[in-house]
Amino acid sequence: MTKLIFSCINLTVLLLLHYCESNVEQRASATKSPLTSLVVVENVDGVEAGSDEQEQSSVPDSEGHLEVVQPSDVWQTLKPGQAVPAGSHVKLNLQTGQQEVRLGEEQLKYWTQDHREREKTYVFSPNELKRAMKKIKEDMKMADKDTEKRGSMTTKFHSLEELKKDIAQLDLLVETDFQIIKRLLEQLNSSLSTTEQKLHILHELEYLVHQVDNGQTLCTLGGFQLILKCLNSSDVKLQESSASVLGSALASNPVVQVRAVESGALQTLLTLLATTHPQQVKKKVLFALASLLRHFPYAQSHFLSHGGLQVLSELFRADEGGVLRTRIVTMLYDMISEKELISQAEQKTVHDPSHDKLVRQYAEVSLKGDLLENGWCSLVPQQLKSSEHDYREKTLRALLVMAPVCLDQYRSDDFLLESLISLGDHYHGMVQAERIMGEDDGYFSEIVELIDALEVQIKR
């Protein structure tokens, strides 16, 4: 009987314990403690911590942090200050008096170790939140300052419409070359222009008249008379600059060449060469004269009739440096070779009225008598004394084209024969040096060919 009573008591105690345990679980899930804290936990099932499904009492630590316990499939004891994720199963152990937690039934269905490793928990202390808010305020202030700065910068610049109005008020015009040349000639003709200003104007004109159209525009606007006026100036710099403008305008421009002869430019150039002037002026004048005579038999005929070869011969004898001599020799070579080329072309081409006219014009250019009369057959060989290879080359070419006229003088000129022998030996050695360097047809080979060709002409 006693045993039966004792068994009934034990059964009653067990039932009471089970009832208390169930009641505690229901209260834990249905009620909220005054110390309940909201903890946000990112988990893959999409259930946000702090929802109505499960909230658990917790006590923050001394720094305000809440330690979040990650439950598993076994019961774990909760310590004071710990919080649990939503959906967790929490109970009160009556034997120990402590709370325990494990995964809820829904979580246990898919919970794995990889899932637990991917779970991330973000916990922020109040101090961290204060610092974050302070930085946000500072960033907002900086943004406001940048906006004000941009606003002040925009006030410094005009809008597109304002710029258009300003440009329209300036009434800017794009000048054509014709307008520029006209303006420059007006300034050149002005009595108020200083010498420095005129030099600048002439420099600008020299650049412009390289173009054929601009050279003709210079003639149309009466610029030739102004250029010739500067040529006759007593200022050396003006003479030099105006001769450069004239030479640039005449180069390969038949219209300007005709206008120059008609305006008396040829006589002016010959006068400057025949009178006392600095070498730099005569160099530019020779440049202008060569531009006038090149490929223009009408001007060449006038040059000869005005004693042009005599003027050049006197200038050749007076020039000791050789710079002017080379320019003169080159000019003679151009005149003689042009006439020879026209004569050769006459025999090969069919009847052409324009070509026939050109042949008749060159026929009037009688160089042979003037070359012999002014002693050019003995003057040109003197340029072989120069130590410059370029000067020697141009002299040899001139001697070759003059050979039909000067052959008898060449054969009696001991200096020329000795110079050819000496130069032949010198340049043959230089050709050998070129071939050693791998240059079979070098520059010095051409000079040797000229020497050999001239020797052949003399020894005939």
Side-chain angles (χ1 to χ4, degrees):
M1 184 67 180
T2 303
K3 291 181 179 180
L4 181 60
I5 294 172
F6 184 75
S7 297
C8 291
I9 292 172
N10 287 338
L11 180 60
T12 303
V13 171
L14 290 173
L15 289 173
L16 287 172
L17 289 172
H18 179 70
Y19 173 78
C20 290
E21 185 179 69
S22 299
N23 193 26
V24 169
E25 291 178 4
Q26 290 176 0
R27 289 181 179 179
S29 61
T31 62
K32 296 182 180 179
S33 172
L35 297 178
T36 298
S37 299
L38 181 62
V39 179
V40 180
V41 179
E42 180 186 355
N43 49 37
V44 295
D45 61 357
V47 179
E48 190 177 279
S51 65
D52 292 336
E53 179 182 349
Q54 183 72 30
E55 292 182 353
Q56 180 60 36
S57 300
S58 59
V59 180
D61 59 13
S62 59
E63 294 183 358
H65 290 286
L66 293 176
E67 181 183 357
V68 180
V69 176
Q70 298 298 329
S72 63
D73 54 352
V74 297
W75 290 101
Q76 301 179 49
T77 302
L78 282 175
K79 298 178 181 179
Q82 290 182 333
V84 298
S88 302
H89 194 176
V90 181
K91 72 174 183 178
L92 177 64
N93 192 329
L94 295 178
Q95 293 181 350
T96 61
Q98 294 180 339
Q99 291 181 330
E100 296 180 352
V101 63
R102 73 172 184 181
L103 293 173
E105 297 298 332
E106 294 296 326
Q107 294 171 326
L108 287 172
K109 291 180 181 179
Y110 62 87
W111 192 266
T112 62
Q113 183 63 29
D114 293 338
H115 178 80
R116 287 194 294 271
E117 291 177 357
R118 289 195 303 268
E119 185 177 83
K120 298 178 182 178
T121 303
Y122 300 95
V123 181
F124 300 97
S125 66
N127 292 332
E128 290 174 336
L129 290 173
K130 290 179 181 179
R131 287 194 295 268
M133 289 299 295
K134 183 179 180 181
K135 189 174 186 309
I136 290 173
K137 292 180 180 179
E138 292 175 353
D139 293 341
M140 291 178 66
K141 291 180 180 179
M142 291 297 295
D144 292 339
K145 290 181 180 179
D146 291 340
T147 303
E148 293 177 0
K149 186 177 180 181
R150 286 195 298 270
S152 62
M153 289 178 63
T154 54
T155 57
K156 296 180 182 179
F157 300 96
H158 297 287
S159 65
L160 182 60
E161 295 300 325
E162 291 174 337
L163 289 175
K164 289 181 178 179
K165 291 180 181 179
D166 292 341
I167 293 174
Q169 290 175 357
L170 289 175
D171 193 21
L172 296 178
L173 298 176
V174 178
E175 286 185 305
T176 63
D177 285 352
F178 181 91
Q179 294 170 326
I180 294 174
I181 294 174
K182 183 179 180 181
R183 174 173 53 80
L184 292 174
L185 291 177
E186 289 174 354
Q187 294 173 358
L188 185 63
N189 193 34
S190 174
S191 59
L192 300 177
S193 298
T194 63
T195 301
E196 291 299 324
Q197 290 173 337
K198 289 181 179 181
L199 289 173
H200 177 73
I201 292 169
L202 291 171
H203 178 74
E204 294 293 326
L205 287 173
E206 180 185 0
Y207 172 78
L208 289 168
V209 297
H210 275 96
Q211 298 183 24
V212 174
D213 294 341
N214 290 339
Q216 296 175 6
T217 299
L218 182 72
C219 298
T220 304
L221 296 175
F224 251 102
Q225 297 303 324
L226 295 177
I227 300 301
L228 294 178
K229 183 179 178 181
C230 291
L231 269 175
N232 291 319
S233 170
S234 58
D235 190 280
V236 173
K237 291 183 178 180
L238 282 177
Q239 291 175 342
E240 185 179 357
S241 297
S242 57
S244 296
V245 175
L246 188 60
S248 300
L250 289 166
S252 303
N253 200 331
V255 174
V256 180
Q257 287 176 318
V258 172
R259 187 65 62 87
V261 174
E262 293 175 348
S263 63
L266 179 61
Q267 292 87 330
T268 302
L269 294 174
L270 290 176
T271 301
L272 289 171
L273 292 175
T275 53
T276 304
H277 286 88
Q279 188 183 59
Q280 64 267 27
V281 173
K282 292 188 175 182
K283 283 173 61 177
K284 295 298 183 180
V285 172
L286 283 174
F287 162 64
L289 181 61
S291 299
L292 176 60
L293 299 180
R294 189 173 295 116
H295 302 299
F296 191 23
Y298 179 76
Q300 293 177 16
S301 179
H302 277 68
F303 169 75
L304 295 175
S305 64
H306 285 78
L309 282 182
Q310 182 180 355
V311 173
L312 293 183
S313 65
E314 294 175 358
L315 184 61
F316 187 94
R317 291 184 177 93
D319 180 45
E320 297 179 357
V323 177
L324 299 181
R325 286 185 176 187
T326 303
R327 291 175 180 264
I328 294 171
V329 168
T330 304
M331 191 186 307
L332 291 176
Y333 169 78
D334 290 340
M335 292 176 63
I336 298 170
S337 58
E338 280 178 22
K339 187 172 182 177
E340 290 295 324
L341 289 174
I342 291 297
S343 300
Q344 295 173 7
E346 181 184 8
Q347 302 172 2
K348 298 179 182 179
T349 59
V350 296
H351 177 69
D352 182 6
S354 61
H355 180 74
D356 293 342
K357 181 180 179 181
L358 192 61
V359 171
R360 289 194 301 269
Q361 289 177 347
Y362 273 104
E364 297 177 1
V365 181
S366 178
L367 284 168
K368 183 176 180 180
D370 286 358
L371 289 173
L372 292 172
E373 182 180 349
N374 292 283
W376 285 104
C377 295
S378 59
L379 287 176
V380 175
Q382 295 180 21
Q383 188 63 359
L384 293 176
K385 297 177 182 179
S386 174
S387 60
E388 298 290 335
H389 300 303
D390 181 55
Y391 292 179
R392 290 173 178 173
E393 179 196 357
K394 291 178 179 178
T395 302
L396 289 169
R397 292 186 184 278
L399 290 171
L400 270 174
V401 296
M402 291 168 58
V405 178
C406 302
L407 193 56
D408 293 337
Q409 284 81 354
Y410 288 171
R411 290 169 179 167
S412 61
D413 191 339
D414 294 335
F415 171 76
L416 176 59
L417 297 175
E418 292 175 2
S419 298
L420 291 176
I421 294 172
S422 175
L423 290 175
D425 294 339
H426 176 68
Y427 282 109
H428 273 96
M430 301 188 76
V431 168
Q432 294 297 326
E434 281 184 331
R435 290 176 179 173
I436 292 174
M437 298 296 293
E439 298 180 9
D440 294 334
D441 298 322
Y443 171 71
F444 297 119
S445 298
E446 295 182 6
I447 297 180
V448 169
E449 291 176 0
L450 293 173
I451 294 173
D452 293 342
L454 187 56
E455 287 181 342
V456 170
Q457 290 280 344
I458 295 174
K459 292 178 181 179
R460 281 182 181 178

